[in-house]
Amino acid sequence: MDQRTPAAGFQKGLTSYGDTGFSSFLRTAFIKGAGYTDDALSRPLVGIVNTGSGYNPCHGNMTELVGAVRRGVLLAGGLPIEFPTISIHESFAHPTSMYLRNLMSMDTEEMIRAQPMDAVVLIGGCDKTVPAQLMGAASAGVPAIQLVTGSMLTGAHQGQRVGACTDCRRFWGNYRAGEIDDAEIKRIGSQLVASVGTCSVMGTASTMACLAEALGMMVPGGASPPAVTADRMRVGERTGAAAVAMIARQLTPEKILTARAIENALRVLLAIGGSTNGIIHLTAIAGRLGIAIDLDAVDAMSRETPVLVDLKPSGLNYMEDFHHAGGLPAVLRELRPLLHLDALTVTGRTLGEELDAAGPPFAQDLVRGRGRPIYAEGGIAVLRGNLAPGGAIIKQSAATAHLLEHEGRAVVFENAEDLADRIDDPTLDVEPDDVLVLKRIGPVGAPGMPEAGYIPIPKKLARQGVKDMVRISDGRMSGTALGTIVVHVTPEAAIGGPLAAVRPGDRIRLSVANRALAVLITEAEIARRSAAAPNPAENPANRGYLKLFLQSVTQADQGCDFDFLRAVEMKERAPARHAGMHYRPPS
Ligand code: FES
């Protein structure tokens, strides 16, 4: 038996027994127990991350999808081996899915590293799973390719098409306003999620699917096929075959996830009206490879990149319509002058070569031409000011236009419990022009930065017909939500950020045109109030993952990754501030 440390297939990364020959012998003996032949064990080995779970309906097609990937691997001459990792669903994770994203990324990274595989297929879908997998794979350094479960189908309520989760929020708002009754909201609840798969609008799951494709980490056209379609299964088969081909080329993530690829993904995020969560997740993925996101450069990019995709919540349509309209290649074709076409993809070809191969455009009205955008600027704007020295984010394309320039009186909720206790109190002192402020729902504060930034309109105003107000928090909001909602205020209140100093009755000014968010009190007053406030809490956890989380989680501008998981040194910035990539729509 060969006594050298083998480097490929099942002999990769042998278990330490102090005798490599014995380690190899033992491993082979155990895998033979599963019935494999020597021929099978000599093939290139492709791990398949199976994140199927009874708690995750967004991954409900996992069995069929793993089967399709296995077929692709076998047809290409490889040997597929599936293995499980943590699976996270938005509605089944307490206190919030974001609290577990980094844990899933650690699980993914360590199991890719610990187990023998020459390449790995990552199958995710629900919001946090794809970023967790890309973060983990970026750190593990093994050739990796992303596959998503695909979006759910839409349902119907009284002849009206519905889908999770923009419509969930709309109907719930109607219910809170007394416009629909208990029986109707129950009937609607049976129609919003019409099949397995991820949310049917441009929420975080769809956004991350598009970003994975834009990054070059997915086969072309892989983002948009719905979960229960033949197209989705064919993407699975193509993914398996591509994974085998990546082995010979040693296409490791750092060769694909370059600063230029990250810039392409940021451009796409802005053009699809993507989720604000996309910024946090891209920051975390890039941070694993030493690439820092420059929020001000993202904002400059946003001013020259219009929203082109007519999908909820920024537009009107659903993911299955996006697929029929050509999916992400149709968007990339429109953005072509703005993209780094030399960025490498998992196919071994460049983004430009894949676009050349994607075929000509066809008549459709969902992915707009550059001269006829859904929204003139990018979906996301970056705000600064005395309330958010580290930045804040607003999804301007899903906001109410007249509220983008607004000054109002602060109605303050100190934390999520305070909000729950008082938001529907009939005696709450609140007017339609007020600004709702929610503190301590940031990475540390909640903990896990829940999607509670979509503060409900107080019931007494909702019943007067108020649909939107300026809302500000240090938390996140769902990618499926719409409204004039400022999130990711950094630094967060729980670590002493200026948001903590806001008091009821303070005036707050939002100017998206000037990218400004300010509380209209002096710096000296902010400092005085901050000095008088109790010190930010000591880590209240004395054991377990919560302790690790609270001592290690970073702020939104660093992706809320754990500090010890980010690259030791940030060597590059994205987007690069360079001339010559300005968007000029045809007049
Ligand atoms: Fe899974 Fe929306 S809840 S994608």
Side-chain angles (χ1 to χ4, degrees), residues 58 89-90 125-127 198-199 205:
C58 296
H89 183 277
E90 286 302 293
C126 196
D127 295 13
T198 53
C199 286

Side-chain angles (χ1 to χ4, degrees), residues 56-59 88-91 125-128 152 164-165 197-200 203-206 478 480:
N56 197 342
C58 296
H59 294 196
I88 307 170
H89 183 277
E90 286 302 293
S91 297
C126 196
D127 295 13
K128 306 303 176 297
M152 62 182 71
C165 235
T198 53
C199 286
S200 56
T204 304
S206 304
S478 165
T480 64

Side-chain angles (χ1 to χ4, degrees), residues 110-419:
E110 296 304 331
M111 295 318 287
I112 292 172
R113 189 178 284 129
Q115 301 172 134
M117 61 194 78
D118 300 309
V120 61
V121 175
L122 312 158
I123 312 182
C126 196
D127 295 13
K128 306 303 176 297
T129 59
V130 170
Q133 291 182 327
L134 289 173
M135 291 159 69
S139 298
V142 170
I145 182 168
Q146 184 75 57
L147 175 64
V148 293
T149 53
S151 60
M152 62 182 71
L153 300 180
T154 51
H157 172 65
Q158 296 178 347
Q160 182 187 356
R161 204 172 171 211
V162 296
C165 235
T166 306
D167 296 329
C168 313
R169 297 172 200 286
R170 178 167 59 86
F171 282 117
W172 190 252
N174 293 346
Y175 175 63
R176 281 176 56 78
E179 295 164 7
I180 57 179
D181 62 16
D182 290 351
E184 185 170 359
I185 194 72
K186 196 169 175 190
R187 284 198 301 277
I188 292 166
S190 298
Q191 294 302 318
L192 287 165
V193 180
S195 75
V196 297
T198 53
C199 286
S200 56
V201 298
M202 191 52 80
T204 304
S206 304
T207 297
M208 291 311 301
C210 290
L211 297 189
E213 186 173 337
L215 284 166
M217 290 295 290
M218 179 185 280
V219 294
S224 61
V228 296
T229 60
D231 277 351
R232 173 52 58 201
M233 294 305 136
R234 278 188 282 273
V235 169
E237 185 180 309
R238 286 167 56 206
T239 300
V244 176
M246 290 174 76
I247 297 169
R249 297 188 178 110
Q250 275 303 290
L251 275 179
T252 49
E254 75 270 15
K255 293 178 183 159
I256 297 171
L257 294 172
T258 60
R260 290 161 82 78
I262 298 287
E263 183 169 322
N264 284 342
L266 287 164
R267 185 76 76 177
V268 166
L269 172 66
L270 296 166
I272 61 177
S275 165
T276 48
N277 291 314
I279 287 268
I280 291 186
H281 297 320
L282 271 178
T283 303
I285 295 162
R288 294 296 183 98
L289 295 167
I291 303 165
I293 300 297
D294 181 339
L295 278 179
D296 294 323
V298 171
D299 189 68
M301 184 187 262
S302 181
R303 290 185 185 271
E304 57 179 29
T305 310
V307 176
L308 299 177
V309 179
D310 186 1
L311 240 64
K312 293 185 178 209
S314 298
L316 295 174
N317 297 290
Y318 296 89
M319 276 301 283
E320 57 198 88
D321 309 316
F322 181 51
H323 182 54
H324 296 153
L328 195 72
V331 180
L332 296 172
R333 191 184 289 119
E334 284 299 324
L335 292 176
R336 187 173 182 131
L338 304 173
L339 297 172
H340 296 293
L341 297 173
D342 57 349
L344 193 59
T345 77
V346 285
T347 62
R349 295 180 289 274
T350 65
L351 184 65
E353 289 170 331
E354 291 297 352
L355 275 177
D356 290 341
F362 54 88
Q364 48 81 33
D365 200 39
L366 193 145
V367 179
R368 296 288 183 82
R370 299 194 297 265
R372 215 165 55 85
I374 299 296
Y375 191 80
E377 293 191 0
I380 291 170
V382 179
L383 308 170
R384 301 259 185 201
N386 67 359
L387 208 42
I393 299 290
I394 186 169
K395 190 170 184 176
Q396 55 179 342
S397 60
T400 302
H402 74 86
L403 290 176
L404 291 173
E405 304 296 314
H406 185 77
E407 183 183 317
R409 182 185 66 142
V411 175
V412 178
F413 300 94
E414 291 296 327
N415 52 43
E417 292 73 32
D418 185 31
L419 176 78

